[in-house]
Amino acid sequence: MRDVCIVGGGVAGLAASIFTARAGLDTLVIDAGGQSPPSSRTQSGDGGESILARNASLENYPGFPYGVDARQYLRLTREQARTAGAEFELGRVTSTEPIDETALEAGFVLETAGGDPLEARRVIAASWADSEYLVPLDVGRIQRGSKHFVSVDGGGRTAVDGIYAAGRLADEPHQAIVAAGHGATVGLAVIHDSDANFYHDWVAPEGYFTGRGREVPPGCEEIGEAERLERDERARARLLEAFSEPLDEEPTMHPSVEGK
């Protein structure tokens, strides 16, 4: 059984997976990859059909003064999630039900189209705009026009213990930076609820804690100057490689436009 199953490989789901995986939780991201329904969930999980893949350029995202290729950003975010320890499968979840109706802490079983059922202690729904798989659970879906949103608290928790919603599905604004931030917030809520060690998203220089006579807190890390420089070099080299040439692929067009 997985600690966390995240349904949706867009920005919100990826951000949540980076936090939960880095905290040591066994994390699986199920990405529909634009297939509805997919024939299999045994592929690489690199479907790439996040709404972000339709963008000509991602603007308003901190750190990129002139914008950034949205598809390259999505690739790098997936890579970061994998580096943190998250695993990916390509597929579409069709239903989610408790393993034991009287004990939600026992986890949930997720049925998939074209694949075996999956079990997870906690589920993060980050699959805008598909939430039909949550119908067997009374999570508090709200219909607005042809879309459904999921009612959540400040940490993305739904009315069902162990079920969370992140990003646009949780009625957050349709902006990449907001989706990423909310995904991280939900990831932290899952970490808190699972009693995993809380950690900072930064690494401390050597002596930051120990130099004050304190032990390094669980989930935190101190590194020396040589290690800092090595990590910096690795990070800069990867970004230089990623942005040395433009991607050959073009944005994915909205389905309503294709074929016209």
Side-chain angles (χ1 to χ4, degrees), residues 174-260:
H174 214 342
Q175 305 288 333
I177 183 62
V178 176
H182 193 250
T185 295
V186 176
L188 286 171
V190 170
I191 293 168
H192 177 272
D193 295 347
S194 65
D195 293 326
N197 288 322
F198 175 80
Y199 67 93
H200 296 289
D201 61 351
W202 42 263
V203 176
E206 188 173 22
Y208 186 89
F209 296 105
T210 55
R212 293 179 285 158
R214 297 177 54 190
E215 292 186 2
V216 179
C220 294
E221 183 182 13
E222 285 187 355
I223 60 173
E225 183 66 5
E227 175 68 10
R228 182 188 71 80
L229 292 174
E230 181 180 339
R231 293 190 185 195
D232 179 67
E233 173 62 26
R234 182 169 64 243
R236 287 187 292 108
R238 181 65 188 98
L239 289 178
L240 287 170
E241 177 187 19
F243 293 105
S244 62
E245 298 289 342
L247 290 180
D248 292 334
E249 63 193 61
E250 296 181 358
T252 302
M253 187 52 67
H254 192 282
S256 64
V257 181
E258 290 180 350
K260 289 186 178 182

Side-chain angles (χ1 to χ4, degrees), residues 5 32 40 59 68 76 96-97 102 112 124 147 163 175 190 208 220 226 239 249 256:
C5 182
S40 166
E59 308 289 327
V68 62
L76 289 170
T96 304
E97 298 183 17
T102 64
T112 62
I124 300 176
K147 307 293 186 182
I163 303 292
Q175 305 288 333
V190 170
Y208 186 89
C220 294
L239 289 178
E249 63 193 61
S256 64

Side-chain angles (χ1 to χ4, degrees), residues 16-39:
S17 75
I18 290 168
F19 275 75
T20 58
R22 189 162 174 258
L25 297 178
D26 185 0
T27 301
L28 175 67
V29 179
I30 303 179
D31 187 359
Q35 301 183 42
S36 182
S39 59

Side-chain angles (χ1 to χ4, degrees), residues 90-116:
L90 187 62
R92 180 172 173 269
V93 176
T94 56
S95 71
T96 304
E97 298 183 17
I99 293 175
D100 184 344
E101 292 278 359
T102 64
L104 295 181
E105 63 272 14
F108 302 86
V109 58
L110 296 84
E111 299 288 342
T112 62
D116 296 329

Side-chain angles (χ1 to χ4, degrees), residues 107-145:
F108 302 86
V109 58
L110 296 84
E111 299 288 342
T112 62
D116 296 329
L118 295 163
E119 293 185 350
R121 292 180 178 85
R122 291 177 173 80
V123 177
I124 300 176
S127 50
W128 179 253
D130 176 22
S131 63
E132 291 300 309
Y133 59 91
L134 295 175
V135 169
L137 302 168
D138 189 14
V139 296
R141 291 203 316 158
I142 304 167
Q143 185 168 4
R144 195 177 303 150

Side-chain angles (χ1 to χ4, degrees), residues 6 8-18 50 73 77 124-127 165-169 176 178-184 186-187:
I6 299 173
V11 180
L14 292 173
S17 75
I18 290 168
S50 162
Y73 163 79
T77 307
I124 300 176
S127 50
R168 185 63 179 143
L169 188 61
V178 176
H182 193 250
V186 176

